[in-house]
Amino acid sequence: MTTPLTTRTEIMSILENRGYRATAPRRVIIELLEGKKEGFTAEEISNELPGVGRATVFRTVKLLLNAGVLCRLNMMDGAPRYSISSVEHHHHTICVKCGNVGEFRATNIENLMRALSEQIPGEIVGHRFEFYVNCETCLAN
Amino acid sequence: MTTPLTTRTEIMSILENRGYRATAPRRVIIELLEGKKEGFTAEEISNELPGVGRATVFRTVKLLLNAGVLCRLNMMDGAPRYSISSVEHHHHTICVKCGNVGEFRATNIENLMRALSEQIPGEIVGHRFEFYVNCETCLAN
DNA sequence: CTCAGTGCAAATATTTTGCACTATG
DNA sequence: CATAGTGCAAAATATTTGCACTGAG
């Protein structure tokens, strides 16, 4: 369907711009992540890459998270899950059955934000909207 | 300011209606939680109540969570935090500095939800909106 | 009395860290 | 070739569970 906006090499250069080295383990991890449409846990990645040290996976995930390449999202029970983010600012739909992650931007939301910021005391520094869904594939079954 | 909508005895009867017993440890925990305006972790509660077993605190928090007395909310980094919920369906503001938790209902949001559900493929089964703020008290300092 | 609930400690996750080693730039 | 990055195992955290005991109804 749509080509991922963020490619392996793109991601590597994001890291390089931040002064990080393009090492083999990082390449391997990024290669695996790229194109994963489902949310994933650091644990899963670690299991799928026995050749890469567990700690390195966790360190790299955190790195990518800070670089904005990955998004952290929480399942309904709070379990952490990550997904590649292709668009700058967006929100997620997470299938509670299969873990598939969707992204969407809704200007509606940004407008709402502006309206809410007047109702909410204090200064909004961030927000998180997550929608838990049964995805179409799961519904079809 | 406002009296908490949910009192100790109210909470206890919510549990009793669900077939749970009104035991001493539960009373102690609820008494502590009641009126806490800041979000809290199970850990914190456990430390503040050395007389109550650690596992009991975790079990009770989970119980109250399922009963809808507590809300689970996530800090920006995903760390779990709980807060007493006074209104049925609502969203949270969480001060990233002091951890104070605010609640609000915005019919705006419910309307938005309805609009979004048409744009989002699949069946929405839940959502979570969290606003991270610097609260007025923290801004004042 | 009976069994849900408890405390304790051990078990199980989950993530981080220390450290000697490796390899990128 | 300096030092960021790595792997490993141990440590630190966080939560759950097994089990014998206690107390609410």
Side-chain angles (χ1 to χ4, degrees), chain A residues 91-92 109 113 127-131, chain B residues 128-131:
Chain A
H91 301 286
H92 292 107
I109 290 188
M113 277 290 298
H127 63 264
R128 176 185 287 285
F129 294 167
E130 276 158 10
F131 290 88
Chain B
R128 176 184 289 284
F129 294 166
E130 275 158 11
F131 291 86

Side-chain angles (χ1 to χ4, degrees), chain B residues 21-22 43 54-55 58-59 62 80:
Chain B
R21 290 184 182 167
E43 177 73 26
R54 187 180 187 70
F58 279 86
R59 283 187 277 232
K62 192 160 290 175

Side-chain angles (χ1 to χ4, degrees), chain A residues 80-91:
Chain A
R81 231 161 201 336
Y82 302 92
S83 79
I84 292 266
S85 57
S86 49
V87 290
E88 189 73 49
H89 182 69
H90 61 273
H91 301 286

Side-chain angles (χ1 to χ4, degrees), chain B:
Chain B
M1 319 283 191
T2 50
T3 336
L5 298 181
T6 319
T7 66
R8 195 169 334 179
T9 40
E10 244 181 280
I11 296 175
M12 278 314 322
S13 56
I14 290 174
L15 290 192
E16 279 167 29
N17 289 341
R18 293 188 150 228
Y20 297 111
R21 290 184 182 167
T23 68
R26 282 177 186 159
R27 280 174 206 284
V28 174
I29 293 171
I30 290 170
E31 185 162 357
L32 177 65
L33 296 188
E34 181 196 21
K36 267 206 187 243
K37 279 171 222 68
E38 333 78 53
F40 46 83
T41 61
E43 177 73 26
E44 272 165 39
I45 302 303
S46 182
N47 291 340
E48 291 180 41
L49 296 176
V52 179
R54 187 180 187 70
T56 300
V57 170
F58 279 86
R59 283 187 277 232
T60 303
V61 165
K62 192 160 290 175
L63 205 67
L64 294 172
L65 201 58
N66 289 333
V69 173
L70 294 186
C71 287
R72 183 198 163 106
L73 40 89
N74 302 297
M75 299 307 282
M76 284 182 106
D77 67 355
R81 233 170 193 352
Y82 302 93
S83 79
I84 291 268
S85 57
S86 50
V87 290
E88 188 72 49
H89 182 68
H90 61 274
H91 301 288
H92 291 107
T93 59
I94 310 156
C95 180
V96 293
K97 241 185 199 142
C98 69
N100 237 297
V101 174
E103 288 181 4
F104 66 94
R105 289 199 56 146
T107 41
N108 290 346
I109 290 188
E110 310 312 322
N111 295 338
L112 175 75
M113 277 292 296
R114 223 160 301 132
L116 283 179
S117 64
E118 281 157 34
Q119 295 174 41
I120 291 176
E123 175 199 14
I124 298 182
V125 297
H127 64 263
R128 176 184 289 284
F129 294 166
E130 275 158 11
F131 291 86
Y132 303 103
V133 303
N134 283 310
C135 72
E136 290 182 313
T137 319
C138 284
L139 284 176
N141 299 348

